[in-house]
Amino acid sequence: NQMVPGVEGGVTKFYPSADQMPIYDAAMKYQSEGTPLVIFAGKEYGTGSSRDWAAKGPMLQGVKAVIAESFERIHRSNLVGMGVLPLRFTQGQNAESLGLNGSEVFTIEGLNDQVKPQSEITVKAKKSTGDVVEFKATVLLNTDVEVNYYRNGGILHYVLRQLAGEGYVVLHENRG
């Protein structure tokens, strides 16, 4: 747990106060304030996860993106299905090398209707000092279908909008 060194389990800090509390309580406070969340992770994020629930939990807690060095293949797909954006650090970069500690306010630029599979976007992390750390990340939406799922907030929202006839434009259809 990089947010609360020396403490094991589901504990984090709530910013800007830096109060230590259970992750769930912090997530609910962020949600009540309308603050979306970002997870930073190392290599093989999601390895050993329990199917789609491992992506549902963070989504329900308000996580909008996960930026990792790499992802377990199925977990990455489950994140997309839940409407959580998987982003990969540039080779050789991670939260530690960029000097990020979780207290920053993040802006993810380049997520618009023109986003393409495997495109590069810019992430800006504003520190409490006012300094900004800027870095590139790869959007791990691997197909046009995944882009559509993400734009719609996940598979369920995509299907519901399609059934209601109000979904985003389908980029292509495979009529195999």
Side-chain angles (χ1 to χ4, degrees), residues 62-74:
V63 172
K64 300 300 181 191
V66 176
I67 306 175
E69 292 178 66
S70 63
F71 289 82
E72 189 278 331
R73 180 181 56 84
I74 294 170

Side-chain angles (χ1 to χ4, degrees), residues 62-98:
V63 172
K64 300 300 181 191
V66 176
I67 306 175
E69 292 178 66
S70 63
F71 289 82
E72 189 278 331
R73 180 181 56 84
I74 294 170
H75 185 69
R76 184 213 59 84
S77 178
N78 288 338
L79 288 170
V80 174
M82 291 295 122
V84 176
L85 181 65
L87 298 169
R88 185 181 59 224
F89 284 109
T90 300
Q91 181 70 29
Q93 287 187 334
N94 58 35
E96 184 179 358
S97 71
L98 293 166

Side-chain angles (χ1 to χ4, degrees), residues 3-163:
M3 296 288 291
V4 188
V7 177
E8 291 186 25
V11 179
T12 191
K13 288 183 181 176
F14 178 82
Y15 287 99
S17 67
D19 291 338
Q20 187 173 308
M21 64 182 64
I23 290 172
Y24 177 82
D25 294 345
M28 294 304 101
K29 284 182 82 167
Y30 284 123
Q31 275 191 10
S32 72
E33 295 176 355
T35 303
L37 303 176
V38 176
I39 292 175
F40 284 89
K43 296 176 182 159
E44 291 300 312
Y45 177 77
T47 297
S49 62
S50 177
R51 309 251 180 222
D52 59 332
W53 273 104
K56 261 183 217 168
M59 181 271 300
L60 291 170
Q61 290 183 340
V63 172
K64 300 300 181 191
V66 176
I67 306 175
E69 292 178 66
S70 63
F71 289 82
E72 189 278 331
R73 180 181 56 84
I74 294 170
H75 185 69
R76 184 213 59 84
S77 178
N78 288 338
L79 288 170
V80 174
M82 291 295 122
V84 176
L85 181 65
L87 298 169
R88 185 181 59 224
F89 284 109
T90 300
Q91 181 70 29
Q93 287 187 334
N94 58 35
E96 184 179 358
S97 71
L98 293 166
L100 305 174
N101 64 18
S103 66
E104 302 84 5
V105 175
F106 295 91
T107 304
I108 300 174
E109 299 179 342
L111 291 178
N112 53 38
D113 285 339
Q114 282 71 48
V115 71
K116 302 281 185 227
Q118 295 286 317
S119 58
E120 186 176 80
I121 51 92
T122 299
V123 180
K124 292 183 179 180
K126 184 175 182 181
K127 296 179 169 281
S128 60
T129 61
D131 294 338
V132 176
V133 175
E134 184 174 314
F135 60 96
K136 300 290 184 188
T138 302
V139 175
L140 291 186
L141 301 173
N142 294 337
T143 65
D144 290 336
V145 171
E146 286 188 345
V147 169
N148 280 327
Y149 289 163
Y150 174 72
R151 284 184 182 152
N152 281 277
I155 291 173
L156 179 60
H157 296 289
Y158 173 82
V159 169
L160 292 173
R161 285 190 177 108
Q162 293 301 309
L163 290 172

